[in-house]
Amino acid sequence: MSRLLRPARMLLLGPPGSGKGTQTERLRKQFEIPGISSGDILRRHIKDGTEIGQLASSIINQGKLLPDDLMTKVVASELRRRHWLSPSTSWLLDGFPRTQAQAEMLDAQELGPANAGMNLVVELQVPEDAMLDRIANRLVHVPSGRVYNLTYNPPKVPGRDDVTGEPLSQRPDDDPAVFRKRLNEYRASTEPLVEYYKNSGDVLWSVAGETSDVIYAQLEREVVRRFGESVDESADNGFGGCWSGRLAFVNNN
Ligand code: AMP
């Protein structure tokens, strides 16, 4: 059973290697909220050899950010294509907006007019060595965006995606030297973004932890507190009134 009490439109902010892709994936599965990742959209453009992909490829490999107006157009067209610009929708964004200018454009041009403003912005705080370790051990399946970690979440067959069996690859920007650049870019662009959301009502929420499990437990509690309810199924589960621990949501799009 799933039931959503209020629409949840969320953004996850976190430095490279902070595990925001993993957190997004867990939220999507548990709460049945659809999501998009700007990095995944760009990697698909690169794979398909589009004009945007050609531009993105060199910028991404240098650890730099794409221009704000281009990124806003790319993501806005995806939001429109999915009919997500409506107050009753729930969704998760990963990687966009990444700068204050992107957030301002997104709010002014798309979310504001549609009365579909973001209602939770999560800032992930992870120690630097944990992030470095994560990017060194990360493999991705580009067509789906599925992410594996050689230590915590290895593929069943080495080097192959669990679902399709297709080859996995290491991201060219997952290199310690490029990581340093990406981290600096992230800090420079995200601090103003965090400030922006601090001044946008009660949407910003920060969470700290070393592992994805520690962070996810807190994140899950916060999402339930703001948008949902924990459903106690103990009345009819035959376990003598024990808490079943199951969380249930409805996506009422
Ligand atoms: P990610 O998978 O989120 O780490 O994104 C990979 C790369 O894509 C980033 O390092 C940037 O070069 C580019 N990128 C993704 N999202 C954005 C964005 N919102 N603005 C600018 N560049 C982006």
Side-chain angles (χ1 to χ4, degrees):
M1 179 180 81
S2 3
R3 192 171 51 179
L4 182 77
L5 298 181
R6 283 175 292 284
R9 286 182 293 276
M10 298 187 248
L11 166 67
L12 261 72
L13 293 176
S18 62
K20 73 184 150 58
T22 306
Q23 301 296 338
T24 302
E25 205 43 45
R26 290 178 78 165
L27 284 173
R28 284 173 64 168
K29 278 202 184 123
Q30 175 149 11
F31 298 112
E32 296 180 355
I33 299 177
I36 52 178
S37 142
S38 52
D40 285 352
I41 296 175
L42 295 175
R43 281 185 284 278
R44 274 198 294 274
H45 274 286
I46 293 171
K47 189 167 172 284
D48 296 343
T50 67
E51 213 175 299
I52 291 170
Q54 283 166 20
L55 173 72
S57 149
S58 67
I59 296 180
I60 290 178
N61 292 346
Q62 295 170 57
K64 294 189 175 152
L65 293 179
L66 273 85
D68 289 328
D69 50 350
L70 175 71
M71 261 339 283
T72 307
K73 269 192 202 130
V74 168
V75 176
S77 88
E78 191 67 21
L79 291 171
R80 268 194 294 276
R81 193 179 69 76
R82 294 176 183 232
H83 306 290
W84 284 2
L85 293 171
S86 137
S88 61
T89 52
S90 291
W91 38 253
L92 263 166
L93 297 185
D94 165 8
F96 179 92
R98 223 180 186 97
T99 66
Q100 182 179 349
Q102 291 177 10
E104 283 171 353
M105 277 190 256
L106 182 70
D107 283 345
Q109 296 168 13
E110 313 291 339
L111 303 186
N115 195 17
M118 209 103 68
N119 47 21
L120 177 59
V121 176
V122 176
E123 187 195 17
L124 302 178
Q125 296 174 340
V126 178
E128 208 167 302
D129 48 352
M131 297 191 288
L132 251 175
D133 186 64
R134 200 179 267 121
I135 62 150
N137 288 300
R138 171 157 67 183
L139 288 175
V140 289
H141 176 243
V142 171
S144 66
R146 270 185 288 280
V147 179
Y148 297 85
N149 181 288
L150 293 172
T151 315
Y152 306 111
N153 171 35
K156 287 181 190 134
V157 176
R160 299 267 158 191
D161 177 47
D162 287 354
V163 178
T164 63
E166 289 168 351
L168 301 174
S169 49
Q170 191 163 31
R171 287 170 41 168
D173 55 346
D174 273 352
D175 160 282
V178 181
F179 168 79
R180 177 67 43 205
K181 254 198 169 137
R182 290 166 68 203
L183 191 58
N184 291 340
E185 280 265 0
Y186 173 82
R187 291 195 172 131
S189 58
T190 308
E191 272 162 25
L193 183 61
V194 167
E195 268 317 296
Y196 173 79
Y197 284 120
K198 248 184 214 160
N199 298 319
S200 304
D202 177 32
V203 296
L204 184 70
W205 179 77
S206 299
V207 56
E210 269 201 36
T211 67
S212 294
D213 286 347
V214 167
I215 289 185
Y216 188 71
Q218 300 174 69
L219 180 53
E220 181 191 315
R221 257 199 313 276
E222 185 64 13
V223 172
V224 168
R225 188 180 78 75
R226 290 184 182 236
F227 307 110
E229 65 173 356
S230 301
V231 175
D232 184 350
E233 293 175 337
S234 59
D236 56 9
N237 70 3
F239 289 100
C242 293
W243 161 244
S244 74
R246 179 148 165 228
L247 297 165
F249 276 70
V250 161
N251 194 342
N252 62 352
N253 300 338

